[in-house]
Amino acid sequence: MIKIGIIGYGYWGPNLVRNFNGNKNFSIVKVADTRSERLNLLQKAYPLIEITTNPNDIIKDPSIDAVAIATPVFTHFQLAKTALENGKHVLLEKPMTSTSQEAEELIRIASGKKLSLMVDHTFLYTGAVQKIKQLIDSDTIGKVKYLDSTRINLGLFQPDINVLWDLAPHDISILTHLVGEKPYSLNATGVSHTSNDVENIAYLTVNFESGFIAHFNCSWTSPVKIRLMLIGGDNKMIVYNDLEPTEKIKIYDTGYDIKTDEEKQNLLVDYRTGDIFIPKTAPTEALALMAEDFAQSILNGKDTVSNFNSGLSVIKILEASNESIKNRGKEIIIK
Ligand SMILES: NC(=O)c1ccc[n+]([C@@H]2O[C@H](COP(=O)([O-])OP(=O)(O)OC[C@H]3O[C@@H](n4cnc5c(N)ncnc54)[C@H](O)[C@@H]3O)[C@@H](O)[C@H]2O)c1
């Protein structure tokens, strides 16, 4: 049984508590939040879990094996670093850290101490993303040409991170999970409609040397909620609507063949629109699978689906997007 402490019981922390509580390999020993009113809520639901307003009561408790951190991003690095230095396995909420330098330092400490360091990119554990990965890996949709994602709603304005740092980690982690190729460069634009200069609308394009292209539209100021991803292959195309309760994925037998005429002057485009197929996707809650993945990495050294490498790739893209936004969409090479 892995003894775990959870830090942060705001909006997302309760989901972690519920899922770690439901996993046979974990026993939640303590939950910390600097706001005691949040802990009072926790105690009503889970009277046996200890509470504390001081995260060090978890991080420095020698009886605790692992720590899950669901606090604001700017606190992730220091909490995770101290936890790793105290010999704890660490699960960090997305986005991993505020800078790639911080992420790299955490990876170095975890690797040196042979501790699990995982980032919760929840979407990688959904039935829908698992199915899309199968469709791409089995060559069902052919060579993937583009990924286009819209993640917009009337969202909570975050004081410390812009809309890309808030919403795009989901899409970028899906991108890096599905596509093996490393991104080459990006262009991003964004705008802040508040006095704090934190962008509430942003558009990000990620470029690849092969000609594959990915685009993300993120906003906290949309009147409607849209969670829609299009993935185009040269054989078939996928529409992934995460708001659909059951039919989240549709595979379109849609495509085109291009020929040039004899003088190579005109493009001859032969369009194909065929059947639409709706595959079954696993209904298991993603966070339950994520918690089990974390357990297996601690107990058996298993590589996790969402790991620190994907955490770092996401941060590198977000960092470069900040630079591009500051320079009005300038192309930034991703290091
Ligand atoms: N995986 C997902 O799908 C998903 C969804 C939402 C949020 N998140 C991530 O979860 C994290 C938390 O987001 P949230 O929306 O729950 O934020 P939140 O502000 O609602 O909750 C954060 C909680 O942490 C507490 N806190 C802050 N600093 C602390 C500290 N040093 N020690 C102990 N407690 C502290 C706050 O009092 C608050 O209750 C963020 O990294 C966010 O990106 C992930």
Side-chain angles (χ1 to χ4, degrees):
M1 194 67 115
I2 303 160
K3 289 189 174 158
I4 190 166
I6 295 170
I7 304 177
Y9 196 73
Y11 162 65
W12 196 246
N15 293 324
L16 294 186
V17 170
R18 181 168 50 76
N19 279 282
F20 281 115
N21 191 53
N23 185 296
K24 63 180 186 329
N25 290 311
F26 287 101
S27 159
I28 304 176
V29 179
K30 261 183 228 171
V31 171
D33 197 298
T34 42
R35 293 187 294 164
S36 52
E37 66 271 24
R38 295 299 304 166
L39 297 172
N40 294 339
L41 277 179
L42 171 103
Q43 276 233 302
K44 283 195 187 124
Y46 304 93
L48 298 181
I49 299 178
E50 276 183 61
I51 53 170
T52 173
T53 51
N54 184 354
N56 284 328
D57 290 344
I58 288 179
I59 289 173
K60 296 190 175 165
D61 180 338
S63 74
I64 290 180
D65 309 303
V67 175
I69 299 171
T71 53
V73 185
F74 72 92
T75 66
H76 286 185
F77 172 68
Q78 203 49 56
L79 290 169
K81 182 169 182 269
T82 319
L84 289 168
E85 285 169 347
N86 280 273
K88 316 291 181 217
H89 303 283
V90 171
L91 170 83
L92 265 174
E93 263 313 321
K94 64 82 197 163
M96 186 177 180
T97 47
S98 303
T99 67
S100 53
Q101 223 178 350
E102 290 175 350
E104 279 160 356
E105 187 169 344
L106 294 183
I107 292 170
R108 192 180 47 73
I109 301 171
S111 306
K113 288 180 163 277
K114 298 202 171 5
L115 292 165
S116 295
L117 171 63
M118 183 174 161
V119 182
D120 174 23
H121 290 135
T122 316
F123 275 87
L124 304 193
Y125 296 93
T126 59
V129 173
Q130 286 172 345
K131 178 60 76 179
I132 296 171
K133 176 107 179 110
Q134 276 171 19
L135 292 167
I136 291 176
D137 290 353
S138 62
D139 207 24
T140 307
I141 68 163
K143 188 169 163 46
V144 188
K145 301 284 192 184
Y146 69 86
L147 181 153
D148 191 299
S149 177
T150 303
R151 190 175 290 275
I152 60 176
N153 61 303
L154 203 56
L156 272 183
F157 281 61
Q158 306 284 335
D160 56 330
I161 50 169
N162 74 15
V163 69
L164 282 182
W165 282 77
D166 183 33
L167 300 182
H170 295 309
D171 305 294
I172 301 170
S173 65
I174 293 172
L175 168 75
T176 53
H177 182 60
L178 295 180
V179 178
E181 186 179 354
K182 282 190 109 175
Y184 171 69
S185 70
L186 61 76
N187 306 78
T189 50
V191 64
S192 171
H193 292 130
T194 58
S195 55
N196 67 1
D197 281 347
V198 173
E199 292 81 15
N200 49 284
I201 298 179
Y203 306 102
L204 164 65
T205 305
V206 185
N207 310 300
F208 292 73
E209 279 183 329
S210 67
F212 170 77
I213 191 162
H215 178 257
F216 307 98
N217 167 5
C218 294
S219 170
W220 290 322
T221 47
S222 159
V224 288
K225 181 168 178 171
I226 301 178
R227 300 283 186 262
L228 190 70
M229 187 177 275
L230 310 177
I231 300 170
D234 59 8
N235 188 27
K236 291 187 172 59
M237 301 187 192
I238 295 172
V239 176
Y240 164 29
N241 184 351
D242 195 52
L243 298 186
E244 284 283 343
T246 50
E247 298 173 1
K248 288 184 186 293
I249 295 179
K250 294 193 172 116
I251 306 166
Y252 285 71
D253 188 8
T254 300
Y256 57 85
D257 287 316
I258 304 268
K259 293 186 189 87
T260 42
D261 60 16
E262 277 172 13
E263 288 85 39
K264 302 210 180 238
Q265 298 281 328
N266 297 316
L267 280 184
L268 303 173
V269 186
D270 189 11
Y271 296 98
R272 176 171 47 78
T273 54
D275 292 339
I276 303 166
F277 176 67
I278 301 175
K280 199 171 164 203
T281 52
T284 321
E285 184 175 357
L287 273 185
L289 298 178
M290 187 283 297
E292 181 55 21
D293 211 18
F294 188 43
Q296 290 310 320
S297 81
I298 295 169
L299 297 172
N300 300 317
K302 181 183 163 283
D303 287 340
T304 52
V305 173
S306 173
N307 53 36
F308 57 64
N309 290 324
S310 53
L312 179 60
S313 308
V314 168
I315 301 299
K316 283 186 172 173
I317 290 178
L318 292 172
E319 254 177 0
S321 70
N322 276 2
E323 200 183 333
S324 183
I325 289 174
K326 255 193 262 147
N327 292 287
R328 295 190 158 270
K330 183 180 166 206
E331 182 179 23
I332 306 292
I333 308 299
I334 300 167
K335 294 179 192 108

